[in-house]
Amino acid sequence: MPESGLPVVSSAPDSPPNWASSRSEARIEFARSARPTIGVEWELALVDAQTRDLSNEASAVLSELGENPRVHKELLRNTVELVTGICDNTGEAIEDLRQTLTTTRPIVHAQGMELFGAGTHPFAQWSAQKLTDAPRYAELIKRTQWWGRQMLIWGVHVHVGVSSSYKVMPIISSLLQHYPHLLALSASSPWWDGHDTGYASNRAMMFQQLPTAGLPFQFQTWEEFEGFVYDQKKTGIIDHTNEIRWDIRPSPHLGTIEVRVCDGVSNLRELGALVALTHCLIVDLDRRLEADESLPTMPPWHVQENKWRAARYGLDAEIILDADSNERLVTEDLDELLNRLEPVAARLQCADELAAVADIYRTGASYQRQRRVAEEHDGDLRAVVDALVGELDIS
């Protein structure tokens, strides 16, 4: 479960724990981004090259890499996180990750391991995993207990720069309309502890069990968010804003909106498609705000239902479209959405990557491919791991 590892884009500090004596004094500086830059955090698991089970040897990989700002440790010792620098477009971000993979993968191989990208591992047991030695991780487990120890999950986080704090909460609230699109496309976690859960994304259901995780509140102003953070700090729920683990959240010290909806991804092509879609969605909403448009939103109960439908049914989900309770198959809505975003993608120089989104739902998302492999191999889940490892092509 990562916290932001991207470079800080401003010296504006986040507020310390005792930052205000009253709600009226609560202020959170937002490090404004002059342009809609992006950054990507990509969690990858380490699997034993022979058994295909998880390997708790991330420390060996990190030690061999040395001081590398592009590769971070995570909550569990079976995980490494690859992060980009501050990038102008999707192509630049993916090339950044490709270069890091080129450096990292030979070291992983030399340690008798492979890199694996998915939301969950098909058969690994959470009780066998080791915690990374760090005070914040120990405190998380101390507080969350059984649910915290269950967090054997991996995801992708995309940061998009925003120019002003007043835009942040309206964009997040409106972006929730497209939550099911991002989750259904990235869904890659049908398995848990050797069993098919019946969900396309079991990760989404698992992660929301943590006390500060799940869907964000639909605030409309930055001041409402500041008041919320004040309450969270005063009551001892958090000490720092990065402990708010919403699926979509502000990252004030980076000047970004951080989208944490997506399951782990097995390959760079699909990752590029998801990054491009996220970038285009946020920039489109940003530009509409600048044009004095009122951004559309849905009631929280519709947003919650859409999350569940996408997690359960993936690309077969029939999603709720608007506050009037109209519904549509998510793939049909994606066809229209991609057409509408084409001019945005052209401006952001990610037209090819955005077009690749359609390939995911036309040829099959990761959860569908995984189930197909399991069926073809009489339920042997090691074959599923083999297939996912094989998808990590950096050429």
Side-chain angles (χ1 to χ4, degrees), residues 310-324:
R312 169 66 178 87
Y313 300 109
L315 293 172
D316 292 319
E318 186 172 310
I319 62 170
I320 304 167
L321 299 175
D322 50 38
D324 293 328

Side-chain angles (χ1 to χ4, degrees), residues 158-162 171 175 248 257-259 277-287:
V158 181
H159 290 258
V160 178
V162 177
I171 289 175
L175 186 61
I248 308 173
I257 290 173
E258 182 184 3
V259 180
L277 178 57
T278 304
H279 198 192
C280 289
L281 285 169
I282 290 178
V283 170
D284 178 58
L285 292 170
D286 187 305
R287 297 296 181 260

Side-chain angles (χ1 to χ4, degrees), residues 31-164:
R32 297 177 294 276
S33 297
R35 61 191 193 282
T37 53
I38 58 174
V40 182
E41 304 170 11
W42 185 18
E43 294 178 334
L44 293 168
L46 298 168
V47 296
D48 185 275
Q50 301 302 318
T51 68
R52 294 316 205 197
D53 201 348
L54 290 173
S55 176
N56 285 274
E57 297 297 333
S59 59
V61 175
L62 295 169
S63 177
E64 187 69 21
L65 279 168
E67 290 296 324
N68 189 328
R70 295 291 199 261
V71 186
H72 296 172
K73 64 183 179 182
E74 270 307 322
L75 172 68
L76 296 174
R77 297 186 197 180
N78 57 39
T79 303
V80 291
E81 182 186 56
L82 277 53
V83 302
T84 70
I86 300 171
C87 301
D88 285 318
N89 55 57
T90 298
E92 184 181 332
I94 296 302
E95 184 56 35
D96 190 326
L97 291 169
R98 191 190 312 276
Q99 291 178 16
T100 304
L101 271 178
T102 300
T103 301
T104 305
R105 198 155 71 160
I107 293 173
V108 172
H109 286 169
Q111 299 286 343
M113 297 179 288
E114 300 276 6
L115 291 169
F116 165 95
T120 57
H121 187 280
F123 59 85
Q125 296 186 348
W126 64 268
S127 57
Q129 310 312 312
K130 297 178 181 178
L131 191 69
T132 298
D133 185 16
R136 66 190 178 107
Y137 295 143
E139 182 60 31
L140 173 66
I141 298 302
K142 180 181 177 182
R143 183 177 185 218
T144 59
Q145 292 295 305
W146 189 84
W147 277 114
R149 291 192 293 269
Q150 290 270 348
M151 292 295 126
L152 193 57
I153 55 177
W154 301 274
V156 170
H157 302 172
V158 181
H159 290 258
V160 178
V162 177
S163 62
S164 175

Side-chain angles (χ1 to χ4, degrees), residues 14 88 93 126 141 165 186 200 206 226 285:
D14 192 18
D88 285 318
W126 64 268
I141 298 302
S165 61
S186 67
M206 292 293 299
E226 289 175 326
L285 292 170

Side-chain angles (χ1 to χ4, degrees), residues 139 231 269 332 340:
E139 182 60 31
D231 290 343
R269 179 171 172 78
E332 293 178 359
R340 184 171 66 78

